[in-house]
Amino acid sequence: MSLPGYYLFWCVKTCRLEKIALDVLKPLMNEPNPEVNLKQERIKVLIIEGGGIKGVYPVVLLEYLEKKTGKPISELYDVLGGISIGSVIVSLLSIPGESKPKFTAEDLITLLPSLVAKSLEPSFKQKFLSGYGLLSAIVNNQKFIQILQSNCGNIPFSKALNHLVLYGYNFSTTTLTAFHNRGADLKLANPLLYQLLGGTTAFFGIIPPNKILFNPLKNPEFIGDAGIVVVNPVVSSIIDLQKMYPGKKFLITYIVMHPKQVPDRVDFPFYSGSIEAEGITPPLIHTVENQLIREFMQSLKDVYRFDQLTEIGIDQNMDWINLYSFDFSDQNLDSVLEYAKLFLHQNKETLDIIAEELLKD
C-alpha cells in the first residue's frame, strides 16, 4: 500500500472510532433531580473558572482550606460550580465515598495532572492521523470518557454530595447552558456524572463534543466545553442561584485563573507578525473579561444580599499568562505548581478569612 493510501486507511479507521466515541450517551430516564434542599440562611458557594492544566493551581488553594479547617471542600461549601477544568475539579470533590468524599483536594494535586495528561495528551499517532488537528479533533474522546468513568464511577449527576452547577456549550442550540443537579433542570433525564462532565469539558478543536440524550422525545444534543465562549461563570451562577434560593444570603468564593487586572500599558507587537499577536490577544481578552465581571459583581452587590464575596486570584503576571493551558508536559506542570505556591502565599490572608467564615455555620 502506498503512503497516501496507508494514511487514508488510518484516517478512515480513526473517523470510525470517533463515530463510536460520539455515540449517544444515554442518561437515566424517569429519574428526576431532587428539589433544592438547602434550608440554612446562608448558602456557601465555590466557583472555579476554566484554564486547562492551570487548574492545578486552584486545587493547591483548596488543599490549604481543607487543612486549615479540617474539613473536605464538599462539607465546607453547599454549591460547587465551574467551567472546563473547574467543572472537573468541583465534580471530583463532590463524588461520595463510603463514609467521606472519594477525593480530597490533596488527592487532586496528583490525580488531576495524571487524569488530564492521560486523556488529553495526544500521541504522535493521533497527531499524525488528525493532520495535527486540521482534519479532525486531535484527541479521540473515547479515552477521555473512559478515564472520567474510572474516576467518577457510575453515580448519577443528582447523587453528587453538593449542588453542582456545570456549564457547557450546547452546539445544537448555540447557547451557554448551566446544568444543575438540584431543582427541575433535568427533569426528563439524569445523566451519569461522568457523561455530563465529559461533555462540558470537551474543548472544541481538541476533543469532539459529546452527544447526549437529555429528552427521549428529542434528538440528541452536542455538548461541549463552555470555555470557548466564557471562562468565568460567576455572574450567571449568582443570578441562577438567587432564583433557586430566594431570600438567602450567600457566601461566595470564586477562583480566577487569569490575572485580576489588565496592565496599565501593554506593548502590543502590531508589526511583528500574527504569532505574537495570537499569543497576547487571548490573555488580554480574559483579563478584560474578568474586569467586566468585577464591575457586574459590584452592581449585583447593590441588589443581592451577599454576606461575603471573595475573589481569589492572580495579580498581573505575564509569565503566568504565557504558560500554555494545554501543555501537559512535566516541565509545564512543574511551572504551574511553582506558581501555585506563589499564589498561595499571596492569598493566604484572604484564605484564612474565608476559612474562618466557612466554619461559622
Side-chain angles (χ1 to χ4, degrees), residues 270-342:
F270 285 104
Y271 303 105
S272 58
S274 61
I275 293 177
E276 288 83 352
E278 288 172 3
I280 198 170
T281 300
L284 281 177
I285 290 172
H286 290 318
T287 48
V288 169
E289 181 182 82
N290 279 334
Q291 282 192 303
L292 287 173
I293 286 172
R294 192 168 295 101
E295 295 298 324
F296 277 122
M297 301 310 298
Q298 294 301 320
S299 300
L300 289 172
K301 279 184 181 179
D302 297 333
V303 178
Y304 296 131
R305 300 170 61 206
F306 293 143
D307 216 30
Q308 183 180 353
L309 187 145
T310 308
E311 176 187 42
I312 305 177
I314 301 162
D315 294 330
Q316 192 56 232
N317 188 314
M318 291 306 292
D319 290 332
W320 167 261
I321 291 175
N322 290 331
L323 289 179
Y324 184 43
S325 296
F326 294 103
D327 177 359
F328 307 112
S329 66
D330 291 340
Q331 182 180 359
N332 197 55
L333 176 61
D334 288 342
S335 298
V336 171
L337 286 169
E338 285 302 311
Y339 277 113
K341 294 175 186 175
L342 170 64

Side-chain angles (χ1 to χ4, degrees), residues 86 101 110 118 147 152 178 213 220 232 251 264 316-317 338 349:
T110 53
K118 282 182 181 177
I147 290 177
C152 296
L213 185 65
N232 194 323
L251 172 71
D264 295 332
Q316 192 56 232
N317 188 314
E338 285 302 311
E349 186 175 338

